[in-house]
Structure formats: C-alpha cells, structure tokens
Amino acid sequence: MVRKIKAKLVLQLRNQGLSGRAIASAQGIARNSVQTVLETADRLGLGWDDVEEMPEAEVYTALFPGRGVHESVFAQPDWGRVHTELARVGVTLKLLHQEYVDTSGQAQAVMSYDRFCRLYGDFAAVSGATSRVGHKAGRSIEVDWSGPTMQLLDPTTGEISKVYLFVACLPFSRYAFVEATLDMRQESWLRAHVAMFSFFGGSVPRLVPDNLKTGVISHPREGEVVLNDAYREMAAHYSAAVLPGRVRAPKDKASVENTVSHVATWVIASLRQEQFTSLPELRVRIYEQIDAYNRQPFQKRDGSRLSVFTAEEKPLMQPLPAAPFEISTWTYKRKVNKNAHVVWARNFYSVPFRHIGAQVDLRVTDTMLEVYRNDERLTSHLLLPASTTNQHQTNDADLPEGRSFQAWDRTRIDEWAARMGPATVTVIGKIFEAASIEEAGYDPALAVLRLSRRFSPTRVEAACALALRGPIRSPRYAHLRPILDTGQDKTGHVPDKPEPDDGGYVRGSAYYAGGTR
C-alpha cells in the first residue's frame, strides 16, 4: 500500500537519476506504489528541492492528505490534561483511566485500560513529552547512586553513620542490583561495579552512568567525553564501554531512575523498622529484599524480572573474565634509584636497570605492584605485607649480571668500608649497631661511603677518625660532611663538646600563673 512507502525516499532516489522500475527493485516495493508517489508529486508540483528539509511524515501527508486517518468509535480523553495530571504526586494511568470511564458515562463507548495506556504513549511520543526507548537484551546496564540513604548504629558509642546505596538495572528485563557502601568515593564506586558484575554473572557492551566525578571527568556538549582513568580501566576489564547519559537528561537512563524509586520502597521503607550494626548484616537483608523485588510478577506482562533475565537476557550477556577486577591506586613520578629499585610503602621493588634515574608510575592493587613508564609496563611484583619495612623485592631479570648492579647487603658495604680504612669500618659498624634491623642501616651507611665520590677516600677516613674522637657516639653523614667541608680533617682539630644548657625556664612562674606576659 502507498501509506507504507517512504515517499520522501522515493523522491530522493528519483532525484539521483533512478527510474521508477529501479527504485521499486532496489527497495523491494510494488512498481504501482512507486508510480503513484511519482505521479502525485508531479501533479502537485513537488520536487526533491521542495521536500528535502521536510520530515518523512510531512512529505507523506503533503502527497496523500487524509489517507490512513480513521475515526475512533471510543470517547477521546483530553490527552493534554492526562499528561498534566500524571505529573502530580500519586496520580497513575490506572487512576486517570477510571476517571475517564466515570466521566464518559453511557453516551459513547469507552476504551480499555490497555488501549488507554497505548494511546497515551502515542500522544506523548508525538508531542515530544517523553521518549519511548526500546531496549535490547544483554546490551546495557544503567547505574546510579540512590538519593535516599540508610543508617548503621555503632552499638558501643551509639553513633549513627550514613550508608549509601549503589543501584544497577538491566533495562530489558529490569533485573536490579543494590549494594550498600559507607561512602560514594571512587573505590566504593568501583567495588560496587565488581560486585554488580558478579551478581549478574555476565557483562554487557555498554555502561550508562550519571556524570558523577568518580566516573566522568567532563561531558562537553561538543567533543569527546573524558572518563576517569580507573573507571575506564575497570570497564575495559569487563569488555564494556562507558557511555554516560547527557548532563541533566535523566531520561537517558530512565530504567535505573525508576529502579531507584522502587528501591526506596522495597529496601529503605521495608527495612526502616530494623536496626543494623554492621555493613555485612545490612547487605544480607538488602540482597533478600532485592531478590523478592526481582521475583515480583509484572503487572502488564507475563513473568517477573528474574524470569525474563534468566530466560531471555542472561544467555546473551558476555562471559565474565577469569579474574575479577582489582581496585588499583596510581602513584606518579617515582624516581628509580641507582640500585635499580623504586620505593613504595617503605619497601623496595626492582625495576629494569636501563631505567635507572627515570621517573616511573606505580599501579598498586591489593596484591600486586606494577611499574609503568609512560604507557609501557616495565615489571610487576607481589606486594609485600604492610607490616614489613625496608625489604627488597627483586626480580633477577631486572638486574644485569655483574656485582656492581647487585642489591646492596651488609657484606658489600663492609667490603667497601674496609677498602677505605679502619676508622670508616668502625663508623659503619656503629651505624648498623644503632639500626633496629640490618636493612635500616643500608641508607645511612651508603651515605657515608658515598662521600668518597666528592672527597678522597683518605680524607673520608681521616674525617671518620676525627669524628670518633669527638662526643658523638655514632657519627653519620650529617656529622662527617661539615668536617670535610671546613677542612677539619686536615688540621686534626676535634670540635668541642657543646656546653649543657642549665638555664631552665626563663619566663618564671608568674607567666604560667596568669601574670603579666
């Protein structure tokens, strides 16, 4: 039928030089229908230049006015009023349909509730009042923070702490997930996503968040969206792309916005009489409520969120990676020391020796430390326990053969000191005696020995001997460097012992008793 033809497309193809027969063949439509469009356009004097800027529906109406319009046998509601009333608190389409039935009386037939809802949707779509979005199974997940919050009670102090709810929804099945967190910071945001993917048992190509700073740095009207590095990395781990909704456009993620309102009823309101003292306890109850919510039968379609998810959506979701995403912390511009190690949390991790002196970035997870230079991953290590300090984690492949690049130890330090002289050996020995653990003495001992790079080993030995004759029990770099800078090692003069300060308090008791200051 002619009313099924895209009349504007037919005119466009004719303008490009195609005949009616060629258009019918290319588009798979009847030649008579194409010919009717062309003859009508010629009779009305309408060419491609006249309709180029018009929408498809307006072109069809201009060619065939009145065609396809049918008079309804049912009483027609005031759809503008319906739309206005629907915005009021507590007003639903069910209530408005009943009012329509009551006011229509027996004068004319009234439409069913299903037809009423469908025609209202058509009105809203045509008028631009709302947008009806069709969703495909297993293609996207919408995520957001719930506005309403919950509480935890500390049984010891009685202190109340706020609990935030992360909400996720699969738009096709409306299958929902809720996670309770103690804050809305980036780490909580990422951990909630990891728990969400585990709950769904699969991934999707699209993540649709709001424009919060834990996920999106900027979302300009023109140009590319700038995502948070950690959020983009997490999404890539699950083979998903982050496509945030437009700024101040909640309709772009209407499913999760609707779920957030349901969470207020099914979770927050339902559990309002219960008192929770720990986050795991609260999470268990939330999971029970969300499970009941997902099993609740639909009002206007067969099944429930769980049944539609299980039967239609989950089989189409992408499988999860072998290991869940690990939350990471980035530290930038750490210098690689001359022993080919970099410092993190008071421990030392090796880096390939060719990067000595370079600045590198560290990516730290709960179990691993990775070293990057620009976009290149240089090496990785198992993270040492937080309770350890001054430990070395060294990959043999990071260091070349040859003793000069081996990690420093007590034996190497003592050998270097012995080459300089007995006074130096004594100073180094005293440094290690004062250290709580052997590794804590490496840096101060090497600082003393490296004075031989600026001053001759003979002068350093003389300075050590001179310092040992003085009042300092364990001389270090800070004591030896002034001796060398001032040339005292050449004169052999030992600094006098500082005089004790016996002055006591100089302000007097009147000051502390509130007298004149």
Side-chain angles (χ1 to χ4, degrees):
M1 296 178 61
V2 175
R3 67 184 301 270
K4 298 289 185 181
I5 296 177
K6 294 183 177 180
K8 181 178 180 180
L9 177 61
V10 172
L11 296 177
Q12 180 183 6
L13 294 176
R14 183 177 71 167
N15 183 65
Q16 295 174 357
L18 273 69
S19 65
R21 185 188 298 272
I23 295 172
S25 177
Q27 298 300 318
I29 53 181
R31 290 169 51 195
N32 289 339
S33 298
V34 174
Q35 191 63 29
T36 300
V37 171
L38 298 178
E39 290 176 355
T40 303
D42 292 337
R43 177 169 51 81
L44 297 175
L46 292 177
W48 171 245
D49 293 336
D50 301 315
V51 302
E52 183 177 3
E53 300 299 329
M54 297 170 59
E56 179 69 48
E58 291 184 14
V59 175
Y60 182 82
T61 302
L63 293 175
F64 308 104
R67 182 173 296 189
V69 177
H70 303 283
E71 292 292 332
S72 175
V73 298
F74 301 108
Q76 294 298 307
D78 181 356
W79 293 116
R81 176 184 172 276
V82 169
H83 180 71
T84 301
E85 289 295 312
L86 197 60
R88 301 178 65 177
V89 177
V91 178
T92 64
L93 281 173
K94 188 75 174 177
L95 174 63
L96 294 173
H97 175 260
Q98 186 60 49
E99 292 178 353
Y100 153 76
V101 172
D102 294 341
T103 56
S104 296
Q106 304 296 326
Q108 194 173 358
V110 295
M111 62 185 70
S112 67
Y113 175 64
D114 287 343
R115 180 184 291 272
F116 184 87
C117 294
R118 185 172 66 254
L119 292 181
Y120 168 73
D122 293 342
F123 162 80
V126 171
S127 65
T130 187
S131 175
R132 295 172 63 86
V133 181
H135 299 285
K136 295 184 179 181
R139 300 299 299 171
S140 65
I141 298 175
E142 297 177 6
V143 295
D144 201 359
W145 290 108
S146 168
T149 59
M150 301 186 72
Q151 293 180 338
L152 286 181
L153 171 67
D154 189 324
T156 304
T157 64
E159 182 182 355
I160 299 294
S161 58
K162 190 177 293 187
V163 177
Y164 303 88
L165 300 181
F166 169 88
V167 182
C169 177
L170 290 160
F172 176 79
S173 62
R174 298 302 178 95
Y175 193 61
F177 168 77
V178 177
E179 180 77 339
T181 68
L182 295 177
D183 56 60
M184 293 194 295
R185 281 180 272 205
Q186 180 172 293
E187 183 172 339
S188 298
W189 173 254
L190 297 178
R191 290 190 186 278
H193 276 76
V194 174
M196 173 196 73
F197 283 115
S198 177
F199 177 83
F200 288 150
S203 180
V204 297
R206 296 171 44 134
L207 278 176
V208 185
D210 208 339
N211 288 278
L212 68 174
K213 291 298 182 183
T214 51
V216 181
I217 295 176
S218 67
H219 191 164
R221 284 182 172 271
E222 297 181 0
E224 297 183 7
V225 176
V226 181
L227 299 178
N228 180 285
D229 288 341
Y231 193 39
R232 182 175 56 247
E233 183 181 357
M234 184 279 301
H237 181 81
Y238 291 100
S239 301
V242 178
L243 302 174
R246 292 168 297 172
V247 177
R248 292 185 292 277
K251 294 178 184 179
D252 289 352
K253 50 184 182 62
S255 299
V256 74
E257 295 287 352
N258 186 54
T259 303
V260 165
S261 66
H262 291 176
V263 165
T265 300
W266 280 84
V267 175
I268 300 176
S270 297
L271 302 179
R272 69 188 184 281
Q273 304 296 342
E274 300 183 34
Q275 195 70 258
F276 301 97
T277 58
S278 68
L279 194 61
E281 176 190 5
L282 175 59
R283 283 175 174 170
V284 169
R285 291 292 289 120
I286 289 177
Y287 294 157
E288 293 173 354
Q289 291 299 115
I290 289 300
D291 182 65
Y293 170 73
N294 287 327
R295 294 178 184 273
Q296 177 77 5
F298 288 122
Q299 291 185 353
K300 300 179 183 179
R301 56 192 281 198
D302 294 334
S304 64
R305 293 169 178 83
L306 177 60
S307 64
V308 175
F309 169 75
T310 304
E312 301 181 43
E313 188 151 29
K314 188 172 183 180
L316 299 178
M317 296 180 72
Q318 302 169 166
L320 293 176
F325 178 74
E326 284 192 294
I327 310 302
S328 62
T329 301
W330 283 89
T331 300
Y332 300 98
K333 296 184 178 180
R334 287 293 179 97
K335 186 176 180 180
V336 181
N337 296 330
K338 293 183 179 180
N339 61 354
H341 283 70
V342 66
V343 180
W344 169 255
R346 295 184 294 177
N347 290 305
F348 303 86
Y349 298 86
S350 66
V351 179
F353 73 96
R354 62 183 177 275
H355 299 286
I356 289 175
Q359 289 187 333
V360 296
D361 302 328
L362 306 182
R363 177 180 178 268
V364 184
T365 69
D366 293 337
T367 59
M368 296 288 295
L369 180 142
E370 297 176 316
V371 182
Y372 287 81
R373 186 175 183 184
N374 298 326
D375 295 330
E376 180 186 2
R377 181 174 176 271
L378 304 181
T379 188
S380 64
H381 298 274
L382 287 175
L383 196 65
L384 290 169
S387 58
T388 63
T389 58
N390 295 308
Q391 297 295 314
H392 286 73
Q393 193 84 311
T394 305
N395 292 333
D396 292 339
D398 292 339
L399 306 179
E401 297 181 359
R403 189 167 182 80
S404 62
F405 283 93
Q406 294 176 1
W408 285 102
D409 55 23
R410 179 67 183 275
T411 302
R412 290 188 65 199
I413 292 173
D414 287 344
E415 289 176 356
W416 188 356
R419 291 195 297 270
M420 296 177 65
T424 306
V425 171
T426 303
V427 169
I428 297 301
K430 288 181 177 292
I431 288 175
F432 279 107
E433 288 175 6
S436 57
I437 58 174
E438 182 177 288
E439 286 78 3
Y442 290 173
D443 186 66
L446 288 171
V448 170
L449 296 174
R450 287 170 182 153
L451 284 170
S452 61
R453 296 176 178 174
R454 179 179 292 271
F455 307 95
S456 69
T458 302
R459 290 193 61 188
V460 175
E461 171 68 12
C464 289
L466 189 61
L468 290 171
R469 289 160 46 196
I472 306 301
R473 180 179 178 183
S474 177
R476 298 198 173 204
Y477 174 89
H479 309 111
L480 299 173
R481 180 63 187 267
I483 294 175
L484 293 166
D485 285 340
T486 58
Q488 296 177 41
D489 58 295
K490 299 178 181 178
T491 64
H493 173 70
V494 181
D496 296 330
K497 183 182 295 186
E499 296 181 1
D501 183 7
D502 298 327
Y505 293 112
V506 297
R507 290 174 177 164
S509 60
Y511 176 87
Y512 298 96
T516 302
R517 301 184 181 182

